[in-house]
Amino acid sequence: MDAQTTSIEQLARAARRAAMTVATLPTERKNQTLLVLAARLAQRQDAILQANAQDLQLAEAAGLASAKVQRLRLTAAGLGQLCDGLRQVAALPDPVGAVVKQWTAPSGMVVSKVRTPLGVICMIYEARPGVTVDAFALCFKSGNACILKGGKEAHHSNTLLAAIVRETLTEQGVPPEAMTAFTSSSRDELRELLRQDASIDLVIPRGGHELIRFV
């Protein structure tokens, strides 16, 4: 799914519906999904690096700063670290349902403070395609759906990584809308995304000062 085939509002509503399912997934299902994704990314390494090579070629032709090109670059070692990161997240305790604090009120009622998912998390970021995988993993393990808005310079890399994530979700019986990623350079589309506060619970900008101020 991307902003060109569906409206931003429809995209956000679909993520909200998926979040209801993700919030109640058993720990074992979430962990299995992350482990299957790690294996699938390793299997698709060549295709991912080819997509990244397209982004690098376009970035260099456009005169992108060398530091930004370096952040954009994926390597076999970097993909290996992404896969290891997925396995590490799968091994973490499930935060959903964890009791943070418990006390007895003067009335005798036992009160508990329990961790619950936020709902839909939107992350807006630039350059680094690895964030697409990392952000999904952390949101998913904590019971949240996510909308990931990557920079246009990583379009090919992010599109393929997102497709692999969504294939894995579908295979594991999870709504693929639990992870939606799209690339757009339109500030109007970004403004429209930020207006979807009925569906999106948290927006995280990750990038330069200008992006953070805009959000």
Side-chain angles (χ1 to χ4, degrees):
M1 183 184 298
D2 58 45
Q4 296 172 347
T5 58
T6 188
S7 74
I8 298 295
E9 184 177 3
Q10 288 174 320
L11 181 154
R13 286 181 176 179
R16 167 60 64 187
R17 291 192 295 270
M20 297 178 187
T21 299
V22 178
T24 59
L25 285 177
T27 303
E28 295 75 15
R29 174 84 69 82
K30 291 189 288 188
N31 291 344
Q32 177 66 17
T33 300
L34 293 172
L35 293 174
V36 170
L37 176 58
R40 181 161 288 169
L41 289 176
Q43 292 167 358
R44 302 283 294 276
Q45 173 181 294
D46 290 346
I48 294 169
L49 293 180
Q50 287 174 12
N52 185 245
Q54 287 182 275
D55 288 329
L56 290 170
Q57 184 177 11
L58 291 171
E60 290 168 353
L64 205 67
S66 59
K68 204 164 188 177
V69 171
Q70 193 58 36
R71 290 196 296 272
L72 176 62
R73 189 181 306 277
L74 283 175
T75 64
L79 279 174
Q81 291 174 353
L82 280 180
C83 294
D84 286 343
L86 287 168
R87 299 184 189 102
Q88 290 167 10
V89 173
L92 291 172
D94 193 337
V96 180
V99 177
V100 178
K101 188 177 180 181
Q102 190 174 74
W103 66 95
T104 302
S107 64
M109 179 182 293
V110 177
V111 183
S112 298
K113 184 176 182 180
V114 181
R115 288 197 172 109
T116 60
L118 290 168
V120 178
I121 297 175
C122 174
M123 182 174 285
I124 302 167
Y125 53 101
E126 302 169 342
R128 299 181 188 272
V131 172
T132 302
V133 176
D134 290 339
F136 161 73
L138 293 171
C139 291
F140 186 71
K141 182 63 183 269
S142 56
N144 298 291
C146 61
I147 298 174
L148 306 178
K149 165 42 178 93
K152 63 182 184 297
E153 65 277 358
H155 172 72
H156 295 92
S157 305
N158 284 339
T159 298
L160 181 54
L161 289 170
I164 295 171
V165 171
R166 290 166 67 86
E167 287 170 14
T168 304
L169 289 170
T170 301
E171 179 187 277
Q172 297 298 310
V174 181
E177 293 82 9
M179 188 273 211
T180 298
F182 72 96
T183 299
S184 173
S185 58
S186 168
R187 283 297 175 97
D188 289 338
E189 286 192 338
L190 182 52
R191 286 189 183 92
E192 184 62 25
L193 180 65
L194 294 173
R195 291 189 185 105
Q196 303 306 314
D197 56 345
S199 298
I200 298 172
D201 299 283
L202 175 68
V203 177
I204 303 172
R206 175 174 175 173
H209 181 65
E210 182 182 352
L211 171 65
I212 293 170
R213 286 196 62 186
F214 179 83
V215 172

